[in-house]
Amino acid sequence: MYKEIILDYYKNPRNRGSLESPQSIARDSNPLCGDVVEMQLKFSNEKVSEIRFNGDGCAISQASASMLTELVMGKSIDEVRKIDKTVLLENLGSPNLGAVRIKCALLPLKVMKTALYQYLGETIPREEGSAIS
Ligand code: FES
């Protein structure tokens, strides 16, 4: 089941690309492989009004980034704060990933949260940091 979801999002990525004048951009790589994910966000009325991702990496990382853009789009800042690894992995079909591949799935989440908190002028709260890695 999760393989179909991941392949679908990998082959037909939603929200891949760049925004004109994003209000926040974050980019990071998986230290184990060097694969990269970038997130660009715009906000309006305390909600995410636009989001795009770019990246170069394995199917899991790119599918996860794409799925995450859908989860975040239109959500309030408080709702986005609550999106953690459990939410993301459930939406990816609860893949049975090992210690290495889980980092592929969670890289986009870390990048998206970095972009969110950068916009807010804050750092990722410690308890939230442990819920996304
Ligand atoms: Fe590099 Fe998955 S192998 S992010």
Side-chain angles (χ1 to χ4, degrees):
M1 169 67 178
Y2 75 83
K3 287 184 179 150
E4 283 86 9
I5 295 175
I6 286 172
L7 265 186
D8 177 35
Y9 275 80
Y10 180 59
K11 288 186 177 164
N12 310 294
R14 286 67 148 176
N15 301 316
R16 179 187 275 280
S18 300
L19 292 175
E20 212 171 284
S21 311
Q23 288 167 289
S24 188
I25 301 177
R27 185 182 175 87
D28 204 352
S29 61
N30 181 341
L32 298 176
C33 60
D35 290 343
V36 174
V37 170
E38 179 180 287
M39 289 274 173
Q40 302 187 357
L41 285 86
K42 277 176 137 175
F43 299 85
S44 176
N45 299 323
E46 300 288 299
K47 289 185 175 179
V48 175
S49 57
E50 290 186 74
I51 179 166
R52 295 282 186 284
F53 83 97
N54 262 309
D56 188 13
C58 67
I60 295 173
S61 68
Q62 302 305 297
S64 171
S66 180
M67 167 66 76
L68 190 57
T69 62
E70 289 194 329
L71 291 176
V72 167
M73 181 66 197
K75 294 273 186 357
S76 71
I77 287 171
D78 277 348
E79 287 170 324
V80 178
R81 286 184 204 266
K82 291 183 190 133
I83 295 176
D84 61 10
K85 60 185 173 189
T86 305
V87 172
L88 176 60
L89 292 172
E90 269 176 19
N91 278 276
L92 284 170
S94 302
N96 185 15
L97 303 174
V100 171
R101 302 312 300 241
I102 193 94
K103 293 196 184 305
C104 306
L106 298 183
L107 173 64
L109 186 55
K110 182 181 168 207
V111 174
M112 184 278 289
K113 293 279 183 163
T114 301
L116 172 72
Y117 282 99
Q118 193 171 277
Y119 170 75
L120 296 172
E122 301 169 15
T123 53
I124 298 175
R126 188 180 304 169
E127 66 278 11
E128 210 170 308
S130 55
I132 62 170
S133 60

